[in-house]
Amino acid sequence: MTHKVHPYPHTRQISQSRRIALVRVSQFRALQRAPGLGRVVTRAPAALSNAFATQSGDAASEEELLRALDSFQKAAAGKTVPWFLANMPPAYFRSIDEEDRLQHLNAITALVNAQQPEVMLRSPDHAVFSHFRSGANFPGRLANVLDQLPLTVDGATLARVKIFTALDDSLGLDIFRFGQQEPFMGATEEERSARDSIQQFCADIQSGKFAGQACYPTPSPVFEPAAVDEFLNHCNTMYVQFSNPRRLAWQMQLFRNVQGTEGVAVDVEHGWEKRSEENKLASGGGVPQSMLTIAASNVIPKGFMQKAAMYLGLCQLNVVRAHLDVVKDPNNHGGHVAMIRILVQPSGEAQRENFAFEWQKITGNLKLLKWIDDRPVQLTMHHPDLGISRAELIYAYGNMLHGVLAKKDPFAYSLTRIMGTLEHEQNLPMASRIADYFLAKFDPQADHPMTAEEQDALVAEIKVDIRRNVEAEDAIQLLNSMADAVRGTLRTNKFVRDRYALSLRMDPSVMGYGTVGKETPYGVFFIYGRRFKGFHVRFRDIARGGLRMVYPGSTDAHALESSRQYNEAYNLAFAQQLKNKDIPEGGSKAVVLCDPIVGPVGDVAPRDFILRKSVKAFS
């Protein structure tokens, strides 16, 4: 009798409501509209209908049409405007000028009367996109909207984002601006007033006025007048003028933490719904809210914000409000820091289940998003209960074993087929179980490390279940090899905070030899990160060699290079070992293979950008 393994036995089955929460925009169009805005819809008055009617074949006069249309629009606006004033959050009215508010109100009126669930508008120069949606908020909504935007507009990346949700949760308004924003110069009266307010607040911090209050920063050189002016001069004027001084002070501190680096800093402020009367009103009756502030150095703003929104959706967190501004970082070779603020609250399902959020894990994964490859994130989107950690491990071992298995059958174990096999619904639960074995083996909080006997017994048990539940022989061989590879993994940085790429030190017997030499290496390391993977092979504890970067021009060339990547690293290290025979240091070599720019997943990025990031993450 064949025994069936329950998909993802370590987690609960995905509920139907959670599946709905992660629907794409195309599916969202089928959702029902929320009743809040539904009440605004008005039927065309009889005068308008009559104006289009004809009598004895005569068309309605122009004056009649104008009067009827004017009456219809007034009736519609008479219902939309009161709702707009009562339900748009105070933050919206503070940060959006009157001209833009009128345009938004006009679009909302048209949206509601047309009974459309969403609409995307863009400015004549295509630099500003405004997205309106009717209906209740849901996890992953912001990621879906960002997916509709272009990567660049005339070569310019996303530079500013404003996300607002109506107080009755019946409408969302998202504003995206591309291109260089007007810099803060301190020249206008409004700019000088904003600067003075910020400087005064920072002076109060330095004087100890807020000492002992956790929601205020502590005194620091960051808040000295010269440092504050330097920060403001790197910002755009809208960011400075419309930011709360207390919030901006926190962001200044995060900016200094990552300035001149490739790091990501995250701060979480809980109890946002109690912070002020305005927040109490916006939270809709005490729903717990948390403000996430992220400073991400040298990222592609749209890509990073989309991944962050996607991940928060997987965590069952609704994005209530969000802002993005790009601050220049001249100390980092002309780089920048994306300052992202996201206000989140538990989804309806999470509230009903009284779900306990692991904020330390959430903040850690938000930092990791800059360095994790897009493919594990996409896999997690399709299988939310899999989790990013397991997905990353599955892809890492699949990539690592490509060269080993391709020697046996280059067609059955092409890189595309390996990934397709691991993602298959029949095989993914077993791959997930192998990932669980890895997580248990290296769990730093375990009472005691797994013994060799325990690991051997677990691997044998996993292989029995693979044979029972997997049909294809090539899939069985792949999963068995993956279990053996985890058994042969000696060390990892998986649980290291603030790591970049995932690094695995392997038992050299797992990877075998190259095409020259039969000497067993002293150490074999595999590194898997965003847009790249790399092998480092050394023949002594102390060794020297070099690093070779491979950047193929197509996906076919990438697949070919992937199949021989380990062989190349071994062969080059072995040759270096022979060259170093008369010196104490042994031979070593590293080969890093970057994803081609035409890859099917991820952001389009310049070649040099990908190479620099790959070297940084690898090293």
Side-chain angles (χ1 to χ4, degrees):
M1 179 181 295
T2 301
H3 300 275
K4 295 294 184 182
V5 176
H6 189 279
Y8 318 116
H10 46 273
T11 57
R12 61 179 175 80
Q13 189 73 5
I14 304 173
S15 65
Q16 181 65 20
S17 59
R18 188 166 188 180
R19 292 182 187 275
I20 294 175
L22 295 166
V23 293
R24 307 298 293 175
V25 170
S26 59
Q27 296 170 300
F28 169 59
R29 291 188 171 91
L31 297 177
Q32 291 184 345
R33 299 174 62 253
L37 274 177
R39 292 190 295 270
V40 181
V41 178
T42 180
R43 297 181 62 85
L48 182 60
S49 301
N50 294 336
F52 284 99
T54 59
Q55 297 179 356
S56 303
D58 295 331
S61 68
E62 181 178 345
E63 291 77 7
E64 288 177 319
L65 284 174
L66 288 173
R67 284 196 301 270
L69 184 59
D70 182 62
S71 175
F72 173 70
Q73 290 177 336
K74 284 183 178 179
K79 296 184 178 181
T80 306
V81 170
W83 174 91
F84 182 83
L85 295 174
N87 286 281
M88 292 306 290
Y92 170 82
F93 293 100
R94 277 200 311 271
S95 57
I96 304 299
D97 60 39
E98 184 176 355
E99 181 180 354
D100 287 340
R101 290 201 297 266
L102 288 174
Q103 293 178 359
H104 296 160
L105 182 58
N106 185 46
I108 292 171
T109 303
L111 169 71
V112 170
N113 285 284
Q115 300 191 41
Q116 293 296 315
E118 65 171 343
V119 65
M120 178 79 81
L121 305 178
R122 60 186 180 185
S123 61
D125 61 358
H126 295 186
V128 181
F129 290 75
S130 300
H131 177 267
F132 304 81
R133 61 92 184 160
S134 59
N137 199 355
F138 59 87
R141 185 193 68 82
L142 176 57
N144 291 342
V145 176
L146 285 164
D147 194 46
Q148 300 180 64
L149 297 176
L151 295 172
T152 60
V153 174
D154 295 331
T157 59
L158 185 65
R160 199 153 197 265
V161 174
K162 291 285 185 182
I163 307 296
F164 301 101
T165 301
L167 299 181
D168 64 356
D169 196 27
S170 64
L171 181 134
L173 171 56
D174 313 324
I175 307 167
F176 307 93
R177 298 180 184 272
F178 287 78
Q180 182 67 38
Q181 303 299 297
E182 182 181 351
F184 176 82
M185 304 294 292
T188 67
E189 182 178 348
E190 291 81 4
E191 288 182 329
R192 288 192 292 270
S193 175
R195 176 192 176 278
D196 292 343
S197 176
I198 294 167
Q199 284 283 16
Q200 180 58 54
F201 185 84
C202 291
D204 290 341
I205 293 176
Q206 296 295 75
S207 68
K209 180 178 179 179
F210 308 112
Q213 301 184 49
C215 60
Y216 290 89
T218 56
S220 165
V222 171
F223 304 120
E224 291 296 327
V228 173
D229 279 340
E230 181 185 4
F231 174 80
L232 297 181
N233 290 335
H234 297 327
C235 302
N236 69 73
T237 185
M238 301 295 286
Y239 177 41
V240 175
Q241 289 187 53
F242 295 108
S243 290
N244 176 277
R246 185 186 71 85
R247 294 289 305 137
L248 191 64
W250 278 114
Q251 293 160 43
M252 290 168 57
Q253 195 166 65
L254 292 180
F255 175 84
R256 296 301 181 189
N257 290 343
V258 301
Q259 186 179 22
T261 73
E262 291 289 338
V264 178
V266 181
D267 176 74
V268 184
E269 187 175 349
H270 298 296
W272 187 262
E273 75 283 358
K274 304 174 184 176
R275 189 67 63 204
S276 66
E277 291 300 321
E278 175 186 321
N279 293 352
K280 291 178 183 178
L281 175 66
S283 67
V287 177
Q289 294 182 336
S290 300
M291 176 63 79
L292 291 162
T293 305
I294 307 170
S297 178
N298 291 330
V299 297
I300 298 176
K302 174 183 178 293
F304 186 85
M305 191 170 192
Q306 184 173 355
K307 289 175 74 172
M310 192 182 300
Y311 173 70
L312 293 172
L314 292 172
C315 296
Q316 284 296 293
L317 289 166
N318 283 345
V319 175
V320 179
R321 197 165 77 238
H323 309 277
L324 178 144
D325 288 279
V326 177
V327 180
K328 295 179 181 178
D329 184 6
N331 296 333
N332 199 357
H333 307 288
H336 65 268
V337 176
M339 303 300 303
I340 301 173
R341 293 85 73 199
I342 304 178
L343 180 63
V344 296
Q345 68 181 32
S347 66
E349 180 181 351
Q351 292 180 50
R352 289 189 296 272
E353 296 181 359
N354 197 24
F355 188 76
F357 294 96
E358 300 179 73
W359 286 105
Q360 185 175 1
K361 180 180 178 181
I362 290 173
T363 56
N365 282 339
L366 285 171
K367 293 179 182 180
L368 183 61
L369 286 178
K370 176 179 177 178
W371 303 105
I372 194 170
D373 196 43
D374 294 312
R375 293 170 179 83
V377 179
Q378 293 290 338
L379 181 62
T380 310
M381 280 295 296
H382 291 96
H383 304 276
D385 284 348
L386 180 65
I388 287 182
S389 288
R390 297 183 185 91
E392 182 186 30
L393 290 168
I394 290 170
Y395 273 96
Y397 278 98
N399 276 276
M400 184 183 71
L401 292 172
H402 179 210
V404 176
L405 295 173
K407 294 178 182 179
K408 300 178 180 179
D409 190 334
F411 301 103
Y413 298 110
S414 67
L415 187 59
T416 302
R417 290 202 62 181
I418 286 176
M419 296 310 165
T421 299
L422 293 175
E423 294 170 359
H424 192 277
E425 60 181 7
Q426 185 183 63
N427 307 324
L428 189 57
M430 296 310 307
S432 178
R433 186 176 176 188
I434 295 171
D436 278 340
Y437 162 38
F438 176 98
L439 295 173
K441 176 178 179 177
F442 294 104
D443 183 3
Q445 297 181 345
D447 294 335
H448 60 83
M450 295 180 68
T451 65
E453 292 75 15
E454 290 174 335
Q455 292 190 61
D456 290 339
L458 182 56
V459 170
E461 179 184 336
I462 290 174
K463 288 184 176 181
V464 169
D465 285 340
I466 290 172
R467 175 60 65 179
R468 286 175 176 172
N469 296 281
V470 179
E471 298 176 356
E473 282 299 323
D474 56 344
I476 293 173
Q477 177 66 40
L478 171 60
L479 292 168
N480 284 342
S481 298
M482 187 172 168
D484 289 334
V486 174
R487 177 67 180 89
T489 303
L490 305 178
R491 299 189 68 180
T492 181
N493 69 344
K494 174 67 177 176
F495 296 95
V496 175
R497 291 185 181 181
D498 301 327
R499 68 175 172 90
Y500 290 173
L502 174 66
S503 179
L504 308 171
R505 180 166 187 173
M506 304 301 301
D507 184 333
S509 63
V510 173
M511 300 305 301
Y513 310 107
T515 55
V516 298
K518 294 295 182 180
E519 185 177 342
T520 301
Y522 177 85
V524 174
F525 300 82
F526 177 72
I527 296 88
Y528 175 68
R530 190 176 187 196
R531 300 191 182 102
F532 83 93
K533 58 182 177 179
F535 281 101
H536 172 75
V537 179
R538 59 173 55 199
F539 281 87
R540 290 183 189 170
D541 185 17
I542 300 176
R544 65 178 181 178
L547 169 64
R548 180 169 185 250
M549 301 295 298
V550 181
Y551 192 93
S554 67
T555 52
D556 290 339
H558 177 270
L560 178 62
E561 294 291 347
S562 175
S563 66
R564 63 190 185 192
Q565 184 183 5
Y566 174 73
N567 284 349
E568 184 174 12
Y570 179 95
N571 294 344
L572 292 173
F574 184 76
Q576 191 69 41
Q577 171 73 2
L578 297 179
K579 293 179 183 178
N580 294 358
K581 65 182 187 308
D582 296 325
I583 60 175
E585 295 89 350
S588 68
K589 213 72 172 184
V591 177
V592 172
L593 175 62
C594 297
D595 290 350
I597 201 169
V598 294
V601 179
D603 301 312
V604 173
R607 177 179 182 272
D608 291 343
F609 179 88
I610 294 177
L611 289 172
R612 289 198 309 271
K613 296 294 183 183
S614 298
V615 171
K616 179 67 177 180
F618 179 83
S619 59

